[in-house]
Amino acid sequence: METKMLADKIKNNIQKVIIGKDDVIKIILTALIADGHVLLEDVPGTGKTVLARSLAKSIDCDFKRVQFTPDLMPSDITGINYYNAKEGEFVLRKGPVFTNILLADEINRATPRTQSSLLECMEEKQVSIDGTTYILDKPFFVIASENPVESQGTFPLPEAQLDRFVIKISMGHPSLDEGKQIFKRFIDDNPLEELKSVCSKNDIIECRKTCKKIFVSDEVQEYILKIVQKTLDNEKIALGVSPRGALAMLRMSQVYAAICGRSFVTPDDVKTLAPYVFSHRIIIKNNLRMKGMENSQSIIQECVNATDVPIENWNNKRG
């Protein structure tokens, strides 16, 4: 199935439940097809969990949800070998990571030890239990939510964990008109309960293969690297974007172009994606962060604005 057609089908299906949020849904679908993971950060009640569940129900694949709490153990996520007295042997009880789409709800409520249990799963698409490695099914997609305004009983995600998420995005509050539509849609029933799948997990896997063939010119590749270099040179930033972040932008831009119906990446694709792909990968210097003078998205936008945009050759085909 063509990537744009697939993305449109999923987006239209999600919007049977979610009002508006076209751009948010489009970016999240880009992350899914790019084989990344999503961190949804917003205040309570903005629809983070509903959006995640709507996406999962739109794809005919396994879905599991874990409510992260301070007493959650790593084995509650990955699984554990337990002794079966009846059989007289150890048996693997698989954890919720053995799925296709995992909703890690309020991930910052779990301890760092439990959060770290997702690192291998997210990066290597595998899990190690008692010295044995198990390959996870494809696709494996983590949607993690967190509340940025509560600090009591929470554990901020370390930089190594944040870097595993291909994007960080917020839902935002609905407008007045959108609020009225939400009332009309939910006043009698919950449309999420009636939502049906519109594609299979194999459709996602095939689109991933197709998107890797989307053309990225040398000029656009250099444009990405120059923006990354700006984050390394910026005096407001203590730690800039990593090589993993640059590769994430490359892959995301290919998929975003395909979702837009193009066979090549433009500089505008990079500009659109930069705040979502790069902002959670930088560390702002302490004096600026403590005074609330800067936020990561505004600094990334500064870096983008300070980088010369290629104006030709980026849509030429190979050869």
Side-chain angles (χ1 to χ4, degrees), residues 55-303:
L55 172 60
K57 293 193 74 170
S58 297
I59 303 169
D60 186 16
C61 63
D62 292 334
F63 168 74
K64 290 190 173 99
R65 174 185 178 275
V66 180
Q67 180 65 50
F68 278 62
T69 55
D71 61 345
L72 198 71
M73 299 295 292
S75 58
D76 295 327
I77 305 295
T78 60
I80 190 172
N81 285 310
Y82 71 97
Y83 185 72
N84 186 324
K86 184 177 180 180
E87 300 294 334
E89 61 183 6
F90 282 92
V91 179
L92 173 65
R93 180 186 290 125
K94 292 183 177 180
V97 295
F98 288 88
T99 188
N100 295 121
I101 297 181
L102 175 66
L103 173 56
D105 221 353
E106 296 187 294
I107 189 173
N108 57 331
R109 289 198 174 277
T111 62
R113 182 185 177 191
T114 301
Q115 290 176 14
S116 67
S117 66
L118 281 174
L119 289 176
E120 181 184 16
C121 307
M122 294 171 67
E123 184 67 18
E124 306 296 335
K125 307 298 191 297
Q126 65 184 33
V127 57
S128 298
I129 303 173
D130 293 338
T132 302
T133 299
Y134 301 89
I135 304 300
L136 299 175
D137 192 20
K138 294 181 181 180
F140 177 67
F141 182 54
V142 175
I143 306 174
S145 70
E146 69 171 357
N147 177 3
V149 297
E150 278 189 314
S151 57
Q152 187 173 0
T154 62
F155 303 86
L157 271 64
E159 283 69 32
Q161 182 86 22
L162 285 171
D163 207 31
R164 261 62 174 190
F165 291 99
V166 71
I167 61 165
K168 178 179 176 182
I169 194 167
S170 299
M171 294 284 291
H173 286 281
S175 65
L176 180 61
D177 288 339
E178 288 173 344
K180 291 178 181 178
Q181 292 179 55
I182 291 172
F183 279 3
K184 289 179 181 178
R185 184 167 294 183
F186 284 86
I187 195 168
D188 293 324
D189 205 356
N190 184 357
L192 180 60
E193 296 176 358
E194 305 297 324
L195 204 64
K196 305 295 183 183
S197 61
V198 295
C199 72
S200 69
K201 61 183 180 182
N202 288 330
D203 291 327
I204 301 297
I205 293 170
E206 288 303 313
C207 279
R208 286 179 175 178
K209 295 176 183 177
T210 302
C211 289
K212 289 179 180 178
K213 300 176 183 177
I214 296 295
F215 177 62
V216 189
S217 70
D218 291 343
E219 288 78 11
V220 172
Q221 291 183 37
E222 186 175 344
Y223 180 55
I224 294 172
L225 293 173
K226 283 182 176 179
I227 295 174
V228 169
Q229 190 60 47
K230 291 288 184 183
T231 70
L232 300 175
D233 298 337
N234 193 299
E235 61 182 10
K236 299 176 182 177
I237 299 175
L239 181 66
V241 175
S242 67
R244 182 190 287 123
L247 287 169
M249 174 60 81
L250 180 67
R251 186 66 65 216
M252 284 285 289
S253 62
Q254 286 179 298
V255 177
Y256 191 79
I259 286 178
C260 293
R262 281 182 277 102
S263 60
F264 56 88
V265 175
T266 71
D268 283 341
D269 296 331
V270 178
K271 286 182 180 180
T272 299
L273 295 169
Y276 307 108
V277 177
F278 288 156
S279 63
H280 62 293
R281 301 176 189 273
I282 64 172
I283 299 177
I284 303 173
K285 289 185 177 178
N286 278 333
N287 61 329
L288 296 176
R289 186 170 65 243
M290 295 298 290
K291 294 176 182 177
M293 294 173 60
E294 295 288 353
N295 65 69
S296 55
Q297 284 208 351
S298 67
I299 294 179
I300 290 298
Q301 196 58 55
E302 282 182 23
C303 295

